[in-house]
Amino acid sequence: MNIFRHSLLLILPLTLIFFSCEREPSVNVDQDTVYGEYRLVYDANEDKTYARATFRFGSATGTILELSEPAEITYDGDQIPWKPLLAYYEQDFAGKVATGTFSYTDLDQNTFENTVNLASEIGLPVSLTEISQGAAFMLTWEGSPIVAGEIITVTINGINEGDAQIFIEADPGATSIVLPKDKLEELGIGTARVFIERRANAQVQQGTSRGGAIWSRYNVGPIDVEIVE
């Protein structure tokens, strides 16, 4: 299972996800209170793109909603299936999909269309084979500088249980990320797995009075890197 598939921080058992995700049918709420989130995620390791949509009551933290018929969500004209265990709508595609349009029709026959562009390409340098704990490490990624609304995240899973470290850079214009010495020292000596992600965020183009969010991710990794003293 790819670490980016569900979370950069923790991979929870599916049973825990299933029972902790409160959800209800969208027919139970005022249709103007539905908050929509639309995501386009490319996983370079799998060479697959995922179009995902989540609906919530009232806000980004509200109860998850499963659309009641005849409400529907489509991506470029194709209906997106509901994933009960994950509590969101998802359709996957072979290869990299650069852009697409989500179309959500609610129970009042209002339709909201939102086009999502995939985050810019990013990569880890082929020269990245070793990281020393003895000093802060400057990691320069392959790809364009950060622009407003983007976040670069590097995750390093060390050889020991529970020693994963996460590093974040969001300054526009940045082309590299500093891995601080104190966090590198938390990693076990030996072979670690390194991932990098570029995430782009935006507001919905069309939505209910409660709004919504658009974001996309370009995920790369893992690559093996030796952590040394």
Side-chain angles (χ1 to χ4, degrees):
M1 180 182 295
N2 188 291
I3 189 172
F4 287 117
R5 182 84 165 98
H6 302 303
S7 172
L8 282 169
L9 302 178
L10 295 172
I11 300 297
L12 296 176
L14 284 177
T15 52
L16 178 58
I17 295 175
F18 179 80
F19 288 110
S20 64
C21 288
E22 182 183 357
R23 83 273 320 259
E24 65 175 291
S26 66
V27 70
N28 292 345
V29 303
D30 182 337
Q31 297 300 283
D32 193 45
T33 64
V34 176
Y35 177 96
E37 183 179 85
Y38 308 99
R39 295 165 280 173
L40 196 60
V41 179
Y42 175 66
D43 189 307
N45 184 53
E46 299 179 334
D47 191 28
K48 292 175 66 174
T49 301
Y50 299 89
R52 297 172 182 158
T54 304
F55 299 96
R56 294 180 180 272
F57 172 60
S59 71
T61 58
T63 300
I64 293 174
L65 301 173
E66 180 179 358
L67 300 181
S68 303
E69 293 184 355
E72 67 173 6
I73 176 69
T74 64
Y75 182 78
D76 284 348
D78 294 326
Q79 191 164 4
I80 307 175
W82 168 253
K83 304 292 185 180
L85 289 179
L86 304 175
Y88 55 63
Y89 292 84
E90 179 184 79
Q91 182 65 59
D92 59 343
F93 305 90
K96 182 168 58 177
V97 178
T99 188
T101 299
F102 291 88
S103 181
Y104 160 53
T105 301
D106 67 16
L107 293 173
D108 294 335
Q109 294 302 301
N110 299 305
T111 297
F112 307 94
E113 294 192 344
N114 288 277
T115 298
V116 182
N117 297 316
L118 186 63
S120 299
E121 185 173 350
I122 195 167
L124 292 163
V126 294
S127 60
L128 182 63
T129 58
E130 181 179 287
I131 297 176
S132 171
Q133 294 181 324
F137 184 87
M138 179 76 75
L139 193 161
T140 301
W141 59 78
E142 295 181 348
S144 58
I146 293 176
V147 299
E150 288 187 338
I151 299 172
I152 304 296
T153 303
V154 173
T155 303
I156 304 180
N157 285 340
I159 196 170
N160 296 329
E161 182 77 21
D163 67 352
Q165 298 295 314
I166 296 173
F167 309 86
I168 297 173
E169 179 59 70
D171 290 340
T175 58
S176 60
I177 183 169
V178 175
L179 314 183
K181 179 176 180 289
D182 59 338
K183 296 188 73 172
L184 293 176
E185 290 175 336
E186 297 296 319
L187 297 167
I189 300 298
T191 303
R193 310 190 84 194
V194 181
F195 304 79
I196 192 167
E197 168 194 284
R198 186 192 293 266
R199 172 168 166 163
N201 303 302
Q203 295 297 311
V204 291
Q205 296 130 28
Q206 296 182 359
T208 69
S209 64
R210 301 305 175 94
I214 289 172
W215 56 268
S216 64
R217 296 203 317 252
Y218 195 111
N219 299 333
V220 174
I223 66 168
D224 289 341
V225 173
E226 292 300 314
I227 305 299
V228 299
E229 293 182 353

